[in-house]
Short mmCIF file of all heavy atoms in Angstrom, two decimals:
data_model
loop_
_atom_site.label_atom_id
_atom_site.label_comp_id
_atom_site.label_asym_id
_atom_site.label_seq_id
_atom_site.Cartn_x
_atom_site.Cartn_y
_atom_site.Cartn_z
N ARG A 1 -52.86 -132.30 -87.12
CA ARG A 1 -52.99 -131.12 -88.00
C ARG A 1 -54.37 -131.04 -88.60
O ARG A 1 -54.74 -129.98 -89.15
CB ARG A 1 -51.93 -131.20 -89.08
CG ARG A 1 -50.51 -131.10 -88.56
CD ARG A 1 -49.49 -131.41 -89.66
NE ARG A 1 -48.13 -131.58 -89.07
CZ ARG A 1 -47.11 -132.14 -89.71
NH1 ARG A 1 -47.27 -132.55 -90.99
NH2 ARG A 1 -45.95 -132.29 -89.14
N LEU A 2 -55.12 -132.12 -88.59
CA LEU A 2 -56.48 -132.11 -89.15
C LEU A 2 -57.46 -131.48 -88.18
O LEU A 2 -57.43 -131.75 -86.99
CB LEU A 2 -56.93 -133.53 -89.46
CG LEU A 2 -56.18 -134.32 -90.51
CD1 LEU A 2 -56.64 -135.79 -90.52
CD2 LEU A 2 -56.37 -133.71 -91.90
N THR A 3 -58.32 -130.62 -88.67
CA THR A 3 -59.42 -130.15 -87.86
C THR A 3 -60.48 -131.24 -87.75
O THR A 3 -60.47 -132.18 -88.58
CB THR A 3 -60.07 -128.89 -88.49
OG1 THR A 3 -60.70 -129.28 -89.71
CG2 THR A 3 -59.03 -127.81 -88.74
N PRO A 4 -61.38 -131.17 -86.77
CA PRO A 4 -62.47 -132.16 -86.72
C PRO A 4 -63.27 -132.21 -88.05
O PRO A 4 -63.71 -133.32 -88.48
CB PRO A 4 -63.33 -131.68 -85.57
CG PRO A 4 -62.37 -130.96 -84.66
CD PRO A 4 -61.40 -130.30 -85.59
N GLU A 5 -63.42 -131.05 -88.69
CA GLU A 5 -64.13 -131.03 -89.97
C GLU A 5 -63.35 -131.75 -91.07
O GLU A 5 -63.93 -132.48 -91.90
CB GLU A 5 -64.42 -129.58 -90.38
CG GLU A 5 -65.40 -128.83 -89.49
CD GLU A 5 -64.80 -128.41 -88.14
OE1 GLU A 5 -63.54 -128.36 -88.05
OE2 GLU A 5 -65.59 -128.15 -87.23
N ASP A 6 -62.03 -131.56 -91.07
CA ASP A 6 -61.16 -132.25 -92.03
C ASP A 6 -61.28 -133.79 -91.81
O ASP A 6 -61.35 -134.55 -92.78
CB ASP A 6 -59.70 -131.84 -91.83
CG ASP A 6 -59.42 -130.45 -92.31
OD1 ASP A 6 -60.19 -129.92 -93.16
OD2 ASP A 6 -58.40 -129.87 -91.87
N LEU A 7 -61.19 -134.17 -90.57
CA LEU A 7 -61.25 -135.59 -90.25
C LEU A 7 -62.56 -136.20 -90.73
O LEU A 7 -62.53 -137.28 -91.37
CB LEU A 7 -61.09 -135.77 -88.73
CG LEU A 7 -60.89 -137.18 -88.21
CD1 LEU A 7 -60.12 -137.13 -86.87
CD2 LEU A 7 -62.20 -137.90 -88.01
N SER A 8 -63.66 -135.53 -90.49
CA SER A 8 -64.96 -136.03 -90.91
C SER A 8 -65.02 -136.11 -92.46
O SER A 8 -65.59 -137.04 -93.02
CB SER A 8 -66.06 -135.12 -90.38
OG SER A 8 -67.35 -135.60 -90.79
N ALA A 9 -64.44 -135.11 -93.11
CA ALA A 9 -64.51 -135.06 -94.56
C ALA A 9 -63.70 -136.19 -95.19
O ALA A 9 -64.18 -136.89 -96.11
CB ALA A 9 -63.93 -133.72 -95.05
N VAL A 10 -62.49 -136.42 -94.74
CA VAL A 10 -61.66 -137.42 -95.39
C VAL A 10 -62.18 -138.84 -95.10
O VAL A 10 -62.11 -139.70 -95.98
CB VAL A 10 -60.18 -137.24 -94.98
CG1 VAL A 10 -59.92 -137.74 -93.55
CG2 VAL A 10 -59.28 -137.94 -95.98
N THR A 11 -62.69 -139.08 -93.92
CA THR A 11 -63.22 -140.41 -93.65
C THR A 11 -64.50 -140.69 -94.44
O THR A 11 -64.70 -141.80 -94.90
CB THR A 11 -63.48 -140.63 -92.15
OG1 THR A 11 -64.43 -139.69 -91.66
CG2 THR A 11 -62.20 -140.53 -91.36
N ALA A 12 -65.32 -139.65 -94.60
CA ALA A 12 -66.56 -139.84 -95.41
C ALA A 12 -66.21 -140.17 -96.84
O ALA A 12 -66.81 -141.05 -97.45
CB ALA A 12 -67.42 -138.55 -95.34
N TRP A 13 -65.21 -139.47 -97.37
CA TRP A 13 -64.83 -139.72 -98.79
C TRP A 13 -64.19 -141.11 -98.95
O TRP A 13 -64.54 -141.86 -99.85
CB TRP A 13 -63.89 -138.64 -99.26
CG TRP A 13 -63.60 -138.72 -100.73
CD1 TRP A 13 -64.38 -138.20 -101.73
CD2 TRP A 13 -62.50 -139.40 -101.32
NE1 TRP A 13 -63.80 -138.55 -102.95
CE2 TRP A 13 -62.61 -139.26 -102.73
CE3 TRP A 13 -61.38 -140.09 -100.83
CZ2 TRP A 13 -61.73 -139.79 -103.64
CZ3 TRP A 13 -60.43 -140.58 -101.74
CH2 TRP A 13 -60.63 -140.46 -103.12
N LEU A 14 -63.26 -141.43 -98.06
CA LEU A 14 -62.56 -142.74 -98.17
C LEU A 14 -63.53 -143.92 -98.05
O LEU A 14 -63.47 -144.86 -98.84
CB LEU A 14 -61.50 -142.86 -97.09
CG LEU A 14 -60.25 -141.99 -97.25
CD1 LEU A 14 -59.40 -142.07 -95.98
CD2 LEU A 14 -59.42 -142.45 -98.44
N ALA A 15 -64.46 -143.81 -97.09
CA ALA A 15 -65.35 -144.94 -96.84
C ALA A 15 -66.35 -145.18 -97.96
O ALA A 15 -66.92 -146.27 -98.09
CB ALA A 15 -66.10 -144.72 -95.52
N SER A 16 -66.57 -144.16 -98.83
CA SER A 16 -67.56 -144.28 -99.86
C SER A 16 -66.96 -144.63 -101.22
O SER A 16 -67.70 -144.79 -102.19
CB SER A 16 -68.35 -142.97 -99.96
OG SER A 16 -67.52 -141.90 -100.36
N GLN A 17 -65.64 -144.73 -101.29
CA GLN A 17 -65.00 -144.96 -102.62
C GLN A 17 -65.11 -146.40 -103.08
O GLN A 17 -64.96 -147.32 -102.30
CB GLN A 17 -63.54 -144.54 -102.54
CG GLN A 17 -63.34 -143.05 -102.32
CD GLN A 17 -64.16 -142.23 -103.30
OE1 GLN A 17 -63.94 -142.24 -104.50
NE2 GLN A 17 -65.14 -141.49 -102.77
N PRO A 18 -65.36 -146.58 -104.39
CA PRO A 18 -65.36 -147.94 -104.93
C PRO A 18 -63.95 -148.53 -104.91
O PRO A 18 -62.95 -147.81 -104.93
CB PRO A 18 -65.87 -147.73 -106.36
CG PRO A 18 -65.51 -146.35 -106.69
CD PRO A 18 -65.61 -145.56 -105.41
N LEU A 19 -63.90 -149.86 -104.87
CA LEU A 19 -62.62 -150.53 -104.87
C LEU A 19 -62.12 -150.66 -106.32
O LEU A 19 -62.90 -150.93 -107.24
CB LEU A 19 -62.71 -151.90 -104.25
CG LEU A 19 -62.67 -152.02 -102.70
CD1 LEU A 19 -61.35 -151.51 -102.16
CD2 LEU A 19 -63.85 -151.35 -102.09
N PRO A 20 -60.82 -150.48 -106.55
CA PRO A 20 -60.27 -150.70 -107.92
C PRO A 20 -60.25 -152.19 -108.24
O PRO A 20 -60.37 -153.03 -107.34
CB PRO A 20 -58.86 -150.15 -107.79
CG PRO A 20 -58.49 -150.31 -106.38
CD PRO A 20 -59.75 -150.06 -105.61
N PRO A 21 -60.10 -152.54 -109.50
CA PRO A 21 -60.07 -153.96 -109.86
C PRO A 21 -58.97 -154.74 -109.12
O PRO A 21 -59.19 -155.89 -108.74
CB PRO A 21 -59.81 -153.93 -111.39
CG PRO A 21 -60.33 -152.62 -111.81
CD PRO A 21 -60.05 -151.67 -110.69
N ASP A 22 -57.84 -154.14 -108.94
CA ASP A 22 -56.76 -154.78 -108.19
C ASP A 22 -56.62 -154.10 -106.83
O ASP A 22 -56.23 -152.95 -106.73
CB ASP A 22 -55.43 -154.65 -108.95
CG ASP A 22 -54.30 -155.48 -108.32
OD1 ASP A 22 -54.50 -156.01 -107.21
OD2 ASP A 22 -53.19 -155.53 -108.91
N THR A 23 -57.04 -154.82 -105.80
CA THR A 23 -57.04 -154.23 -104.42
C THR A 23 -55.78 -154.54 -103.66
O THR A 23 -55.66 -154.14 -102.48
CB THR A 23 -58.26 -154.79 -103.65
OG1 THR A 23 -58.13 -156.23 -103.57
CG2 THR A 23 -59.56 -154.40 -104.32
N ARG A 24 -54.77 -155.21 -104.29
CA ARG A 24 -53.59 -155.55 -103.55
C ARG A 24 -52.68 -154.33 -103.35
O ARG A 24 -52.68 -153.41 -104.16
CB ARG A 24 -52.81 -156.62 -104.33
CG ARG A 24 -53.53 -157.95 -104.38
CD ARG A 24 -52.81 -158.92 -105.31
NE ARG A 24 -52.83 -158.41 -106.68
CZ ARG A 24 -52.26 -159.07 -107.72
NH1 ARG A 24 -51.66 -160.23 -107.54
NH2 ARG A 24 -52.32 -158.53 -108.94
N PRO A 25 -51.91 -154.32 -102.25
CA PRO A 25 -50.95 -153.25 -102.08
C PRO A 25 -49.90 -153.25 -103.15
O PRO A 25 -49.52 -154.31 -103.65
CB PRO A 25 -50.35 -153.51 -100.69
CG PRO A 25 -50.61 -154.97 -100.42
CD PRO A 25 -51.87 -155.30 -101.15
N VAL A 26 -49.44 -152.06 -103.53
CA VAL A 26 -48.41 -151.98 -104.57
C VAL A 26 -47.05 -152.24 -103.94
O VAL A 26 -46.83 -152.13 -102.73
CB VAL A 26 -48.44 -150.62 -105.27
CG1 VAL A 26 -49.75 -150.42 -105.97
CG2 VAL A 26 -48.17 -149.47 -104.28
N ALA A 27 -46.06 -152.58 -104.82
CA ALA A 27 -44.74 -152.93 -104.33
C ALA A 27 -43.97 -151.73 -103.82
O ALA A 27 -43.16 -151.83 -102.87
CB ALA A 27 -43.94 -153.60 -105.45
N ARG A 28 -44.21 -150.54 -104.44
CA ARG A 28 -43.45 -149.34 -104.03
C ARG A 28 -44.20 -148.12 -104.48
O ARG A 28 -45.06 -148.17 -105.39
CB ARG A 28 -42.04 -149.36 -104.61
CG ARG A 28 -42.01 -149.33 -106.12
CD ARG A 28 -40.61 -149.50 -106.64
NE ARG A 28 -40.03 -150.78 -106.25
CZ ARG A 28 -40.28 -151.92 -106.95
NH1 ARG A 28 -41.00 -151.92 -108.05
NH2 ARG A 28 -39.72 -153.04 -106.54
#
């Protein structure tokens, strides 16, 4: 459902985000 432009946008944003203090997966 993502356009190529959407795909590029979301990966650029995700890859540039700082990590939170707690990087562990949440329980639910």
Side-chain angles (χ1 to χ4, degrees):
R1 295 170 192 165
L2 296 172
T3 66
E5 293 75 21
D6 288 338
L7 190 153
S8 181
V10 75
T11 60
W13 187 84
L14 288 170
S16 64
Q17 294 310 293
L19 279 300
D22 187 354
T23 59
R24 293 172 297 181
V26 297
R28 63 186 62 85

